[in-house]
């Protein structure tokens, strides 16, 4: 167990008056225990109680022999894990439930513990996970460092005119060569009109003269995710596309300039959005400005117009404005930043000046 992280969670539970919670999310369990357990359809529960009675309920199929600093309660496929769990939960008290816990577990537990009141408890740990500690920030730097090298290497393959799909496969080889565990999400590699779809799935298109090329990629290194987007142009760029590019770039820079403790997430979104709106492209910026990132590629804490939470030192999120003109072209420029005492550190270092490759 990471004692400091566990203590933070227990303290926050006390503050919010939720004396017991069930954590079932593998990433949150990893955050607290340092162990990845992927239970599939089987029950996996980290039960925390502010009275320090904390236990991990785990199927014996997933051998966890090391001492993780808290009691382990094993069960097998013939047992009823919910019945077992219910015996350890305090009667008559509020119980926080993981937002992603399956209804097939929860409803049964509610029947066993009908004197408890059930609330969603995830925000407690999700908010703590937003603020990365020193060790996590260093791991995020390393993950982004690999991703920066990968972008550069991948761009070198573009003149060979592989399909978007093939470029994705080449990227996986690059990540493996660089010592990453794999993708942090399915890469987006989009040529020309495809780039106007922010979530394009790489297909069989090949690059044509004048295309914008969106490369939105990320890897996992030592369990931490990176994420970057660069947009480049093939052989030539139209005046309109260059104007769009420079608008997105300025929006990206303005949002980054705004980052410091105490500023609201919605203010970061507004910095990028207002600039794009004033340039006349507002209706083509169709998504939020960014998302928190760490053990998972999308974590709690949107950089959006509706998030009034304030930034704090150690938070890491993306800033990724874009303009997508349907059927014609798309541009997105994404960086990851970590909030520091007086501003931010940019984790993604790849060049972002308008680039035309041959
Ligand atoms: Mn992203």
């Amino acid at each position: 167990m990471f004692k400091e992280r566990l203590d933070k969670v227990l303290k926050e539970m006390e503050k919010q008056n939720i004396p017991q919670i069930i954590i079932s999310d593998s990433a949150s369990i990893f955050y607290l225990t340092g162990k990845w357990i992927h239970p599939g359809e089987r029950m996996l529960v980290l039960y925390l109680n502010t009275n320090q009675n904390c236990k991990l309920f785990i199927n014996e199929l997933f051998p966890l022999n090391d001492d993780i600093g808290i009691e382990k309660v094993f069960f097998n496929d013939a047992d009823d894990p919910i019945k077992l769990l219910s015996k350890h939960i305090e009667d008559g008290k509020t119980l926080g439930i993981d937002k992603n816990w399956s209804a097939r577990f929860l409803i049964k537990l509610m029947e066993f513990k009908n004197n408890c009141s059930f609330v969603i408890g995830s925000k407690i740990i999700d908010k703590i996970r937003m603020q990365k500690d020193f060790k996590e920030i260093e791991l995020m730097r390393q993950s982004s460092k690999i991703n920066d090298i990968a972008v550069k290497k991948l761009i070198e393959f573009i003149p060979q005119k592989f399909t978007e799909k093939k470029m994705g496969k080449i990227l996986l080889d690059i990540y493996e060569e660089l010592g990453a565990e794999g993708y942090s999400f399915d890469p987006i590699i989009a040529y020309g009109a495809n780039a106007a779809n922010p979530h394009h799935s790489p297909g069989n298109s090949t690059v044509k003269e004048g295309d914008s090329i969106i490369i939105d990629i990320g890897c996992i290194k030592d369990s931490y995710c990176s994420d970057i987007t660069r947009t480049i142009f093939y052989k030539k760029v139209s005046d309109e596309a260059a104007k769009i590019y420079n608008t997105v770039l300025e929006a990206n820079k303005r949002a980054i300039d705004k980052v410091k403790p105490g500023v609201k997430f919605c203010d970061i979104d507004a910095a990028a959005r207002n600039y794009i709106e004033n340039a006349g492209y507002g209706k083509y910026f169709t998504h939020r400005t960014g998302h928190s990132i760490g053990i998972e590629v999308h974590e709690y804490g949107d950089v959006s117009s509706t998030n009034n939470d304030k930034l704090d030192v150690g938070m890491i999120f993306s800033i990724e404005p874009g303009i997508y003109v349907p059927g014609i072209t798309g541009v997105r420029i994404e960086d990851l930043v970590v909030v520091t005492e007086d501003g931010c550190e940019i984790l993604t270092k790849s060049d972002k000046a308008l680039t035309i490759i041959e």
Side-chain angles (χ1 to χ4, degrees), residues 94-192:
T94 301
L95 176 64
I97 302 292
D98 196 299
K99 61 183 185 291
N100 292 323
W101 207 37
S102 177
R104 69 185 193 278
F105 297 136
L106 174 60
I107 290 173
K108 200 167 174 197
L109 183 67
M110 288 171 93
E111 285 165 7
F112 275 115
K113 305 299 284 188
N114 55 21
N115 58 6
C116 285
S117 63
F118 290 78
V119 296
I120 291 183
S122 297
K123 264 194 190 172
I124 293 170
I125 186 155
D126 289 349
K127 283 198 168 181
I128 289 166
R129 277 176 53 189
M130 280 175 80
Q131 217 173 338
K132 273 69 182 173
D133 57 36
F134 183 79
K135 190 183 158 202
E136 292 185 288
I137 293 170
E138 185 48 34
L139 290 170
M140 288 295 289
R141 281 193 194 104
Q142 294 309 320
S143 187
S144 269
K145 201 171 179 178
I146 289 178
N147 211 23
D148 277 329
I149 299 170
V151 173
K152 200 166 174 239
K153 284 185 179 261
L154 188 64
I155 288 174
E156 285 167 10
F157 284 90
I158 286 172
Q160 296 187 53
K161 296 198 168 187
F162 292 121
T163 63
E164 296 164 340
K165 231 184 209 167
K166 172 77 179 166
M167 290 292 277
K169 287 186 179 143
I170 291 169
L171 176 65
L172 193 57
D173 291 339
I174 293 172
Y175 280 150
E176 275 171 13
E177 237 170 70
L178 294 171
E181 282 119 71
Y183 300 139
S184 55
F185 59 94
D186 287 338
I188 299 171
I189 293 146
Y191 299 138

Side-chain angles (χ1 to χ4, degrees), residues 103-296:
R104 69 185 193 278
F105 297 136
L106 174 60
I107 290 173
K108 200 167 174 197
L109 183 67
M110 288 171 93
E111 285 165 7
F112 275 115
K113 305 299 284 188
N114 55 21
N115 58 6
C116 285
S117 63
F118 290 78
V119 296
I120 291 183
S122 297
K123 264 194 190 172
I124 293 170
I125 186 155
D126 289 349
K127 283 198 168 181
I128 289 166
R129 277 176 53 189
M130 280 175 80
Q131 217 173 338
K132 273 69 182 173
D133 57 36
F134 183 79
K135 190 183 158 202
E136 292 185 288
I137 293 170
E138 185 48 34
L139 290 170
M140 288 295 289
R141 281 193 194 104
Q142 294 309 320
S143 187
S144 269
K145 201 171 179 178
I146 289 178
N147 211 23
D148 277 329
I149 299 170
V151 173
K152 200 166 174 239
K153 284 185 179 261
L154 188 64
I155 288 174
E156 285 167 10
F157 284 90
I158 286 172
Q160 296 187 53
K161 296 198 168 187
F162 292 121
T163 63
E164 296 164 340
K165 231 184 209 167
K166 172 77 179 166
M167 290 292 277
K169 287 186 179 143
I170 291 169
L171 176 65
L172 193 57
D173 291 339
I174 293 172
Y175 280 150
E176 275 171 13
E177 237 170 70
L178 294 171
E181 282 119 71
Y183 300 139
S184 55
F185 59 94
D186 287 338
I188 299 171
I189 293 146
Y191 299 138
N194 295 341
N197 171 6
H199 284 116
H200 175 69
S201 296
N204 291 320
S205 303
T206 50
V207 72
K208 301 178 305 297
E209 189 171 312
D211 276 352
S212 72
I213 305 165
I214 287 187
I215 298 170
D216 183 354
I217 62 173
C219 67
I220 302 175
K221 170 66 177 169
D222 295 330
S223 294
Y224 280 80
C225 296
S226 50
D227 188 0
I228 193 172
T229 308
R230 288 295 180 262
T231 303
I232 56 176
F233 296 90
Y234 187 61
K235 288 196 188 279
K236 66 175 189 197
V237 59
S238 69
D239 291 346
E240 179 70 7
K243 190 182 161 208
I244 289 172
Y245 187 90
N246 288 321
T247 304
V248 174
L249 180 59
E250 183 62 23
N252 163 287
K253 287 178 176 170
R254 286 185 181 215
I256 291 172
D257 281 347
K258 260 250 161 316
V259 176
K260 67 173 181 189
V263 171
K264 292 175 180 171
F265 278 97
C266 56
D267 297 334
I268 307 300
D269 184 81
R273 199 165 303 281
N274 291 345
Y275 185 79
I276 288 175
E277 275 173 9
N278 290 335
Y281 294 106
K283 69 169 175 171
Y284 300 121
F285 179 15
T286 46
H287 55 73
R288 63 186 176 188
T289 293
H291 55 87
S292 293
I293 180 169
I295 298 167
E296 292 171 289

Side-chain angles (χ1 to χ4, degrees), residues 77-95:
D77 278 352
D79 294 327
D80 180 342
I82 294 295
K83 195 172 174 185
L84 177 70
L85 172 66
S86 71
K87 288 179 185 152
H88 294 261
I89 290 169
E90 260 191 279
D91 278 316
K93 295 203 169 164
T94 301
L95 176 64

Side-chain angles (χ1 to χ4, degrees), residues 61-80:
L61 276 176
F62 309 103
L64 188 60
N65 299 317
D66 339 6
D67 177 11
I68 56 161
I70 58 161
E71 190 188 328
K72 286 169 280 185
V73 181
F74 285 103
F75 53 89
N76 64 40
D77 278 352
D79 294 327
D80 180 342

